[in-house]
Amino acid sequence: MRELRIAAVGDVHLDESMRGRYRERLGDLADHADVLLLAGDLTRHGTIEEARVVADEFRDLPVPVVAVLGNHDHHSDVPAEIAALLKSVGITVLHDDSVVLDIDGVRLGVVGGKGFGGGYAGKCASDFGEPEIKAFVGHTKRIAERWRVALKELQADRKVVLSHYSPVKDTLEGEPLEIYPFLGSYLLAEAVDGEGADLIIHGHAHAGTEKGETPGGVRVRNVALPVLKRAYGLYCL
């Protein structure tokens, strides 16, 4: 089985002032990667106008592009419209589901979604008390369960999970401890460890670190642009 080369970046936060500037950084993408994964926060404020810039920057690339949305992409309350716009130019947008790509006979399965927060084992929110807290934690639980089912049903040679929020606190090192619960949840890692994957990609943690690992040994990479400081990270399976 041939090696798969996964390019990934998140938190590009594009708007009209960035038009054309990210595209020029992707000129050699096909020489280095088989697929490009976008880990959310593609826009600044989640507007359709900003999403049009994202579509133009990442459309018609020589490799498949798979994306999830982030919290910024939800800010203006039009995430479905943003997803539809990106899909209209050939970008696959995942919402707690999966896609299988055939790359020279190797089936690459990507399970993805925004993810959500709640914190990490031993220092996390629980679905107890006020309905607002129950709703917060319940949202993450439902996402994690959908990921677990998607991974279980996925028929692929290699499996990658694409998220915006982080499944582990390893890749948050450098962020203030006080905001860890708003950067991700251990429930996401539990779902992946339960069904297995080769790699987890996420963004969101601008001041975090690139490399981490789930308790079950799955590699985790924080590809937020402020962390990478390059057009995309490259990871081999």
Side-chain angles (χ1 to χ4, degrees), residues 2-197:
R2 61 157 285 188
E3 179 180 75
L4 295 181
R5 303 166 301 169
I6 312 296
V9 67
D11 303 87
V12 293
H13 293 291
L14 299 182
D15 61 14
E16 192 62 41
S17 70
M18 292 290 292
R19 182 174 290 279
R21 294 170 59 185
Y22 213 91
R23 182 76 176 197
E24 66 186 15
R25 304 174 70 183
L26 302 174
D28 62 351
L29 182 64
D31 296 331
H32 302 292
D34 299 304
V35 63
L36 175 63
L37 305 183
L38 302 178
D41 276 8
L42 310 179
T43 64
R44 288 191 182 275
H45 302 101
T47 67
I48 293 297
E49 292 75 19
E50 292 171 345
R52 290 193 182 102
V53 178
V54 175
D56 288 342
E57 296 301 285
F58 293 104
R59 70 190 301 166
D60 301 325
L61 288 172
V63 300
V65 181
V66 181
V68 299
L69 302 185
N71 56 305
H72 279 246
D73 306 318
H74 282 72
H75 180 67
S76 295
D77 300 323
V78 289
E81 291 85 345
I82 289 174
L85 174 59
L86 298 182
K87 289 176 182 178
S88 74
V89 299
I91 298 171
T92 299
V93 182
L94 298 178
H95 180 66
D96 303 333
D97 53 0
S98 66
V99 65
V100 177
L101 306 173
D102 188 319
I103 300 175
D104 294 337
V106 180
R107 294 170 302 166
L108 172 64
V110 184
V111 169
K114 173 178 61 68
F116 202 53
Y120 301 89
K123 295 180 175 61
C124 60
S126 62
D127 52 352
F128 179 88
E130 301 93 332
E132 291 83 2
I133 290 293
K134 292 176 183 176
F136 182 87
V137 177
H139 183 57
T140 307
K141 283 188 169 183
R142 289 189 294 273
I143 288 170
E145 177 60 16
R146 289 195 290 264
W147 289 13
R148 186 193 68 76
V149 172
L151 281 166
K152 184 179 181 66
E153 296 177 347
L154 190 61
Q155 300 296 314
D157 301 307
R158 295 283 185 264
K159 298 182 180 182
V160 175
V161 175
L162 177 61
S163 175
H164 183 59
Y165 287 76
S166 176
V168 297
K169 59 184 178 182
D170 298 11
T171 50
L172 305 184
E173 186 174 350
E175 294 279 6
L177 290 173
E178 292 84 354
I179 68 170
Y180 274 29
F182 306 104
L183 296 177
S185 169
Y186 79 98
L187 296 171
L188 306 175
E190 277 194 349
V192 177
D193 281 343
E195 300 300 333

